[in-house]
């Protein structure tokens, strides 16, 4: 009897792993494409091999994984691509842009598959596409064979060890005898760049392993400071050790000297010797100053193997448990004052222990939080590919710059950032960047430029998407808005109004809505997702010059400071980040006008909204705060949002204080309301709702209209 | 209680292999690359290893030849579990010193059966 796998059980793992490979595939494909450009240097062409190897390995792994979870079409497609790559590695097929397009198509289909993995219908709908692409590749590249040769991947991709040529530097035999051409070239190139070549020997031990120092960690640390050219195992007697050949940039201190044994074979004389070297294979690279970096500075260092993949669910569980600890701890702290009168030594010890616990807990939470942080590069990485496609689709020439990719942000943020970023980029290409001829006529460079940057600002991150295109025609937006009666006569019009308008569903100044849709729809999505992340969006533009969208987002979404307030006898939490200012309100100074209430504030009138009105409570305020007792003199408080532009204030009865709280989302559609950001537990175990101030104010604005 | 080393650069495959061998009630260690596997072998005693041929730093055959050249690992049962159904590869793997060969995709029973074969004293 054959027991089948419950492939469902492994689908999430499949998704995560294949998604990683697809990301590296698109990176490698774009880098490979760069080597096709007419101005590609010989070194770039030499560096095709590692890209091809990376691609080969990724498709090979996807093939194996897909077979295991029963996704046979994906396995079949990956199989033929793998065969194709094997031919490329053996230089039996000319690499051209048509070939790279096929590979990108395969990448895209597999990406769609991974994205829609939960949807059985969508997955089966993809099958014909995958078969069609497989057949197309078969027709184009393997017309005579019934079935492409099963790629013998174990040996493919590894250039054979070159016959021992003269190396400009003495190396231990274990290394020198097993170098392939690429590695030999890397050695020569490193020396030309003035790098120091060193060998590091690592002897593993259970103690080192227990402290996290294993062969992969050593490799990673070496890669962090230099170029790792070769790593090999060595055996003497029954002892195993590892030898690494590393090129260290000048001036870089020798890393992990306490863990490995370094030696430097006469690096100083090496460049001189090199001139005399007669190895014809290295001629191509004997040109000092060659730009070794792939175009646009893409870094293609393979991901470290020391990383342990942890189930997201496990990570969430750890996080939840720590959150519970936080709550339990604060409960404990609230109990302490009640113990007055208890024996002093015992109380002191308890106080001390609670304080120690606080500290440890804080550290623990920081560590756990850090496991959630990922580089912003994860959100940026699909952009080059997306832009390439869009630029082709719209027939435009576009160059992309990415900045600040190393900023660490919450993983959830990265996931949610993807969609708004894609919309902004699509808008920039569809509407912002002009066709090359128009640009030239306007005296601009033919190639349009898009810059996506991330910049940490304290607890926030600012993400800017800027294009040097035609800008947004504010006059047209204003005209359209006035025509639709969206702004009143005599009312001023500024960029934040414009942003609100173009973010309205269906609002578009475009005469024809082209592929990728007009700005309206996309901007609505952008606005919505930025709000859901408790962030804000702003727009700057100059006609004919640029359009710049800035997203300001909190670095983490799960722990935030909230202001606890009371209104109509209920407690609510409001994220502190949304509140720009807190003021006391003297009720007698409130002015009631037709459109609502105003409050004199800093020489202006501040529109007020009452939290109790927003929820339209029909019940009487509870006994503790009878309406009559509040009287005219009783102070209220207002939380102000929007310091400079269109401030609005939310009036509450009492302020209870500021807490650091753990946000729990409320995914249940019955409770999901745009103005409820989640819930949090208080020290006493009671649950309060976290209100999304921006969404609340939005509702108020709409009601006012 | 046997102790197995699972060598595969795919986390998902390692999970699947562990799930398949669970009935033997073993302890598992994992290695994501050839060098890591050699380190594990140097530091801990194993009853058997499963080996993928396609790894980032060292190819499976190279790895096999390396450990078969070491006295201490000469007789370590090695089950190669890899993606491909090519007759010649199976031969290469066995010549290089593997005790068993299984191609992906496999069922849990197939893996279990192969592992029991490999573990049999010769």
């Amino acid at each position: 009897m054959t027991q089948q796998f419950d492939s469902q059980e492994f689908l999430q793992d499949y998704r995560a792993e294949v998604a990683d490979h697809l990301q590296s595939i698109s990176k490698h494909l774009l880098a490979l494409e760069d080597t096709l450009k007419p101005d590609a240097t010989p070194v770039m062409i030499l560096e095709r091999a590692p890209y091809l190897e990376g691609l080969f390995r990724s498709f090979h792994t996807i093939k194996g994984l897909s077979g295991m979870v029963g996704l046979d079409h994906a396995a079949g497609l990956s199989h033929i691509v793998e065969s194709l790559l094997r031919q490329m590695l053996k230089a039996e097929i000319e690499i051209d842009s048509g070939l790279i397009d096929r590979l990108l198509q395969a990448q895209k289909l597999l990406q769609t598959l991974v994205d829609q993995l939960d949807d059985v219908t969508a997955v089966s709908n993809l099958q014909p596409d995958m078969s069609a692409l497989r057949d197309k590749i078969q027709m184009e590249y393997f017309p005579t064979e019934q079935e492409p040769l099963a790629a013998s991947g174990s040996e493919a991709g590894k250039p054979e060890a070159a016959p021992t040529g003269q190396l400009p530097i003495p190396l231990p035999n274990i290394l020198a005898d097993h170098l392939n051409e690429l590695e030999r070239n890397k050695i020569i190139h490193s020396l030309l760049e003035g790098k120091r070549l060193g060998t590091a020997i690592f002897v593993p031990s259970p103690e080192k392993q227990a402290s996290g120092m294993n062969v992969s960690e050593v490799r990673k640390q070496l890669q962090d400071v230099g170029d790792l050219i070769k790593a090999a195992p060595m055996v003497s007697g029954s002892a195993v050790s590892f030898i690494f050949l590393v090129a260290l940039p000048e001036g870089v201190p020798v890393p992990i000297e306490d863990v490995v044994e370094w030696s430097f074979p006469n690096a100083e004389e090496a460049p001189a010797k090199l001139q005399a070297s007669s190895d014809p294979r290295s001629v191509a690279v004997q040109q000092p100053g060659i730009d070794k970096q792939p175009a646009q500075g893409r870094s293609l260092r393979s991901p470290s193997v020391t990383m342990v993949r942890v189930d997201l669910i496990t990570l969430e569980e750890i996080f939840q448990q720590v959150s519970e600890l936080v709550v339990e701890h604060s409960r404990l702290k609230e109990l302490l004052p009640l113990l007055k009168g208890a024996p002093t030594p015992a109380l002191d010890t308890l106080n001390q222990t609670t304080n120690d616990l606080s500290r440890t807990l804080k550290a623990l939470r920081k560590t756990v939080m850090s496991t959630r942080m990922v580089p912003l590069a994860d959100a940026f990485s699909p952009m080059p590919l997306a832009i390439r496609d869009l630029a082709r689709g719209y027939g435009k020439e576009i160059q992309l710059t990415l900045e600040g990719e190393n900023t660490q942000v919450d993983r959830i943020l990265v996931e949610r950032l993807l969609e708004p970023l894609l919309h902004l980029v699509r808008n920039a290409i569809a509407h912002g960047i002009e066709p090359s001829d128009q640009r030239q006529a306007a005296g601009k460079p033919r190639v349009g430029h898009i810059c996506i940057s991330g910049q940490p600002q304290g607890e926030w991150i600012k993400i800017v998407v800027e294009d040097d295109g035609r800008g947004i025609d504010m006059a047209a937006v204003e005209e359209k808005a006035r025509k639709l009666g969206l702004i009143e006569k005599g009312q001023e019009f500024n960029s934040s109004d414009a942003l609100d308008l173009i973010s309205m569903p269906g609002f578009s100044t475009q005469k024809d809505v082209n592929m990728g849709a007009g700005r309206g729809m996309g901007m609505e999505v952008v606005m919505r997702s930025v709000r859901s992340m408790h962030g804000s969006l702003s727009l700057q533009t100059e006609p004919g010059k640029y359009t710049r969208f800035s997203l300001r987002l909190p670095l983490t979404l799960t722990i935030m400071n909230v202001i606890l307030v009371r209104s109509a006898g209920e407690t609510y939490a409001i994220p502190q980040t949304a509140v720009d200012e807190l003021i006391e309100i003297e009720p007698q100074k409130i002015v009631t006008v037709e459109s609502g209430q105003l409050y004199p504030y800093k020489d202006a009138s501040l529109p007020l909204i009452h939290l109790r009105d927003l929820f339209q409570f029909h019940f009487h305020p509870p006994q503790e705060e009878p309406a009559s007792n509040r009287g005219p003199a009783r102070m209220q408080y207002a939380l102000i949002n929007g310091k400079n532009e269109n401030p609005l204030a939310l009036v509450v009865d009492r302020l209870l204080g500021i807490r650091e709280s753990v946000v729990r989302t409320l995914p249940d559609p019955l409770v999901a309301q745009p103005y409820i950001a989640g819930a949090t537990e208080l020290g006493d175990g009671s649950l309060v709702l976290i209100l999304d101030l921006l969404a609340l104010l939005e509702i108020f604005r709409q009601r006012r209209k | 209680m046997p102790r197995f080393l699972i060598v595969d650069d795919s986390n998902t495959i390692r999970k699947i292999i562990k799930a398949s061998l669970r009935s033997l009630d073993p302890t598992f260690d994992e290695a994501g690359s050839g060098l890591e596997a050699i380190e594990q072998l140097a530091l801990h005693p194993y009853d058997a290893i499963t080996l993928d041929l396609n790894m980032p730093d060292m190819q499976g055959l190279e790895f096999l030849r390396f450990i078969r050249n070491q006295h201490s690992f000469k007789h370590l049962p090695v089950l190669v579990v890899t993606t491909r159904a090519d007759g010649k590869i199976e031969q290469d793997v066995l010549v290089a010193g593997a005790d068993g060969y299984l191609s992906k995709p496999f069922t849990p029973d197939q893996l279990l059966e192969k592992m029991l074969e490999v573990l049999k004293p010769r």
Side-chain angles (χ1 to χ4, degrees):
Chain A
M1 189 190 94
T2 313
Q3 172 208 345
Q4 277 301 328
F5 279 107
D6 177 12
S7 43
Q8 286 301 321
E9 189 187 336
F10 298 106
L11 268 192
Q12 293 314 320
D13 295 303
Y14 172 85
R15 184 207 306 272
E17 197 164 340
V18 172
D20 279 359
H21 279 290
L22 290 173
Q23 211 177 74
S24 109
I25 285 172
S26 72
K27 231 158 69 173
H28 283 128
L29 280 175
L30 291 177
L32 193 60
E33 196 175 40
D34 280 342
T35 69
L36 296 178
K37 289 183 179 157
D39 58 349
T41 62
V43 177
M44 282 168 70
I45 290 167
L46 242 173
E47 286 189 341
R48 276 181 192 168
Y51 303 152
L52 290 174
E53 281 166 30
L55 287 166
F56 182 91
R57 277 179 28 72
S58 289
F59 276 106
H60 178 80
T61 304
I62 293 176
K63 167 177 134 182
L65 283 169
S66 302
M68 287 305 300
V69 296
L71 293 166
D72 296 338
H73 288 79
L77 179 58
S78 313
H79 175 70
I80 196 154
V81 172
E82 183 191 355
S83 309
L84 206 52
L85 283 162
R86 183 163 138 271
Q87 305 284 87
M88 289 159 85
L89 272 164
K90 287 182 171 172
E92 285 173 7
I93 303 184
E94 179 83 14
I95 301 172
D96 58 20
S97 58
L99 189 53
I100 288 178
D101 273 346
R102 288 282 173 266
L103 299 187
L104 282 169
Q105 284 161 7
Q107 191 267 355
K108 203 166 288 173
L109 274 179
L110 291 166
Q111 185 69 55
T112 316
L113 173 76
V114 168
D115 291 343
Q116 304 184 341
L117 209 52
D118 294 330
D119 183 345
V120 183
T121 329
V123 168
S124 68
N125 285 346
L126 271 174
Q127 291 179 358
D129 291 346
M130 291 200 272
S131 307
L133 182 57
R134 190 196 57 207
D135 294 347
K136 204 185 265 176
I137 294 175
Q138 171 100 42
M139 282 278 293
E140 287 169 346
Y141 295 97
F142 306 98
T144 51
E145 292 160 38
Q146 208 57 35
E147 171 100 349
L149 292 170
S152 61
S154 65
E155 301 300 317
K158 281 281 151 180
E160 289 295 309
T164 333
Q166 198 197 337
L167 274 173
I169 183 165
L171 285 178
N173 286 345
I174 179 102
L175 289 174
D177 293 351
H178 295 94
L179 292 172
N180 63 37
E181 190 179 349
L182 185 77
E183 289 156 354
R184 302 173 73 83
N185 272 310
K186 272 190 188 163
I187 291 176
I188 291 161
H189 200 73
S190 302
L191 292 173
L192 281 168
E193 284 177 333
K195 290 183 177 162
R196 267 200 301 176
L197 273 185
T199 56
I201 292 177
F202 171 67
V203 184
S205 73
E207 295 74 33
K208 286 181 194 161
Q209 196 176 43
S211 71
M213 197 44 88
N214 64 8
V215 63
S216 296
E217 181 59 26
V218 169
R219 180 217 304 260
K220 177 176 171 284
Q221 301 222 4
L222 294 175
Q223 278 173 334
D224 281 348
V225 285
D227 301 330
L228 179 60
I229 295 170
K230 178 108 187 160
M234 300 196 299
V235 177
S236 61
S238 63
V240 169
S241 58
F242 299 93
I243 183 161
F244 299 89
L245 178 60
V246 190
L248 294 172
E250 214 177 348
V252 162
V254 177
I256 48 173
E257 275 184 293
D258 48 335
V259 184
V260 298
E261 194 186 311
W262 280 96
S263 56
F264 293 91
N266 57 342
E268 293 76 21
E269 298 165 47
K273 269 195 182 176
L274 184 66
Q275 299 306 321
S277 159
S278 58
D279 187 346
R281 278 187 307 269
S282 51
V283 166
V285 292
Q286 288 194 6
Q287 303 165 12
I290 285 172
D291 178 17
K292 197 181 160 217
Q293 283 300 101
Q296 292 169 29
R298 291 194 197 104
S299 162
L300 285 157
R301 178 169 295 161
S302 58
S304 159
V305 246
T306 47
M307 291 297 195
V308 178
R309 224 173 223 301
V310 180
D311 229 309
L312 278 187
I313 298 163
T314 314
L315 213 56
E316 287 298 325
E317 272 170 10
I318 295 175
F319 189 73
Q320 280 300 331
Q321 285 154 6
V322 172
S323 309
E324 265 143 41
L325 269 180
V326 171
V327 172
E328 283 153 17
H329 170 254
S330 67
R331 214 174 291 170
L332 188 64
K333 254 171 99 175
E334 281 173 18
L335 278 176
L336 279 176
L338 304 177
L339 292 178
K340 271 186 192 134
T344 319
L347 198 57
D348 283 352
T349 316
L350 188 58
N351 263 321
Q352 184 57 43
T353 315
T354 316
N355 284 340
D356 291 347
L357 186 62
S358 286
R359 254 195 312 280
T360 316
L361 207 51
K362 211 167 190 169
L364 172 64
R365 210 167 59 181
K366 209 172 150 202
T367 316
V368 172
M369 277 307 291
S370 73
T371 63
R372 304 174 56 91
M373 303 302 262
V374 294
L376 198 53
D378 287 4
F380 286 177
S381 62
M383 295 301 142
L385 194 61
I387 286 179
R388 174 189 181 278
D389 280 2
L390 286 163
R392 279 196 173 190
Y394 288 103
K396 295 182 182 175
E397 291 176 67
I398 286 156
Q399 191 205 341
L400 169 72
T401 315
L402 296 174
E403 285 167 13
E405 296 156 280
N406 292 329
T407 311
Q408 298 280 319
V409 294
D410 197 315
R411 187 178 41 74
I412 296 180
L413 202 71
V414 163
E415 277 169 21
R416 297 215 215 151
L417 201 51
L418 213 55
E419 196 183 12
L421 276 186
L422 280 172
H423 277 291
L424 288 174
V425 159
R426 181 173 303 151
N427 280 341
I429 296 171
H431 311 296
I433 307 267
E434 314 89 331
S436 303
D437 294 344
Q438 267 183 39
R439 290 179 63 91
Q440 202 162 20
K444 292 167 130 182
R446 280 185 68 85
V447 177
H449 186 225
I450 294 178
C451 176
I452 308 177
S453 64
Q455 226 182 69
Q457 298 181 327
E459 291 298 292
W460 295 84
I461 179 157
K462 187 176 171 189
I463 290 165
V464 177
V465 178
E466 182 172 341
D467 66 72
D468 66 346
R470 57 170 74 95
I472 293 178
D473 186 350
M474 293 296 225
V477 174
E478 187 175 351
E479 190 194 317
K480 173 104 187 240
R482 292 204 189 273
K483 210 181 272 175
L484 293 172
L486 294 171
I487 36 177
E488 285 156 34
K489 274 193 190 122
Q491 195 181 330
E492 269 190 47
F493 183 78
N494 59 30
S495 69
S496 116
D497 294 330
L499 185 60
D500 286 345
L501 285 168
I502 60 175
S503 306
M504 276 174 54
F507 186 93
S508 173
T509 59
Q510 291 287 308
K511 281 162 202 95
D512 55 332
V513 175
N514 41 8
M515 152 186 166
R519 285 225 195 222
M521 204 47 156
M523 287 311 297
E524 188 210 350
V525 175
V526 174
M527 192 63 119
R528 195 159 12 93
S529 38
V530 168
R531 289 236 170 100
S532 77
M533 292 183 267
H534 309 291
S536 60
L537 181 69
S538 63
L539 163 69
Q540 284 151 303
T541 180
E542 199 172 318
K545 294 213 168 129
Y546 71 93
T547 307
R548 180 189 305 142
F549 286 98
S550 309
L551 288 71
R552 188 164 176 265
L553 303 166
L555 283 180
T556 67
L557 296 177
T558 41
I559 291 204
M560 57 165 82
N561 282 338
V562 293
I563 301 176
L564 289 178
V565 301
R566 250 176 121 71
S567 172
E570 290 286 328
T571 305
Y572 302 96
I574 291 170
Q576 195 191 351
T577 46
V579 179
D580 293 313
E581 212 168 341
L582 259 173
I583 56 166
E584 283 183 346
I585 296 268
E586 294 172 52
Q588 63 270 29
K589 285 196 188 164
I590 296 176
V591 183
T592 305
V593 295
E594 197 187 344
S595 59
Q597 291 188 326
L598 297 172
Y599 191 78
Y601 171 70
K602 287 186 186 166
D603 309 324
S605 304
L606 185 65
L608 295 184
I609 17 167
H610 293 265
L611 186 52
R612 59 170 67 229
D613 294 345
L614 266 159
F615 283 106
Q616 292 176 311
F617 288 118
H618 297 302
F619 55 83
H620 297 290
Q623 292 302 308
E624 45 167 313
E625 294 168 80
S628 56
N629 277 8
R630 291 192 297 136
R634 176 155 187 149
M635 285 288 188
Q636 286 185 311
Y637 300 88
L639 289 68
I640 303 178
N641 171 265
K643 236 189 238 161
N644 306 314
E645 292 176 24
N646 306 330
L648 268 177
L650 184 74
V651 181
V652 299
D653 299 336
R654 283 169 63 196
L655 294 178
L656 301 180
I658 294 181
R659 299 282 154 85
E660 197 175 43
S661 73
V662 180
V663 180
R664 295 172 195 246
T665 49
L666 300 170
D668 187 337
L670 284 177
V671 247
Q673 289 290 337
Y675 51 82
I676 296 179
T680 187
E681 238 174 304
L682 297 185
D684 62 2
S686 64
L687 209 64
V688 300
L689 292 178
I690 301 173
L691 302 178
D692 181 338
L693 190 58
L694 294 174
L696 268 179
L697 298 180
E698 188 53 39
I699 292 172
F700 172 71
R701 278 198 190 98
Q702 306 219 331
R703 276 197 202 160
R704 213 165 40 148
K705 282 171 190 161
Chain B
M1 201 166 69
R3 184 167 184 171
F4 296 146
L5 178 64
I6 313 296
V7 188
D8 199 307
D9 63 331
S10 160
N11 170 54
T12 312
I13 298 289
R14 292 201 301 267
K15 260 192 172 174
I16 291 177
I17 291 177
K18 290 200 293 185
S20 308
L21 298 177
R22 214 173 277 147
S23 62
L24 299 176
D25 195 23
T27 318
F28 291 110
D29 287 318
E30 300 178 31
S33 76
L35 293 188
E36 260 180 40
I38 288 174
E39 180 176 35
Q40 292 287 18
L41 285 177
L43 299 181
H44 310 284
Y46 289 100
D47 294 292
I49 74 173
T50 74
L51 174 68
D52 179 26
L53 290 186
N54 196 58
M55 285 182 300
D57 51 3
M58 203 178 177
Q59 293 301 332
L61 284 183
E62 202 186 324
F63 173 87
L64 255 179
R65 290 182 197 120
F66 178 85
I67 64 165
R68 287 307 186 217
N69 275 329
Q70 314 310 323
H71 181 70
S72 5
F73 311 130
K74 225 174 201 109
H75 303 293
L76 174 73
V78 176
L79 174 58
V80 167
V81 182
T82 195
T83 310
R84 107 181 11 96
D86 184 321
K88 187 175 165 297
I89 273 296
E90 177 164 6
Q91 210 180 357
D92 287 351
V93 161
L94 297 176
V95 168
D99 301 279
Y101 173 89
L102 181 63
S103 70
K104 301 174 196 165
F106 56 82
T107 66
D109 284 350
Q110 286 168 340
L111 178 62
L112 192 59
E113 194 182 314
K114 280 280 179 191
M115 183 51 97
L116 289 172
E117 254 174 51
V118 163
L119 284 171
K120 236 179 257 167
R122 271 150 299 173

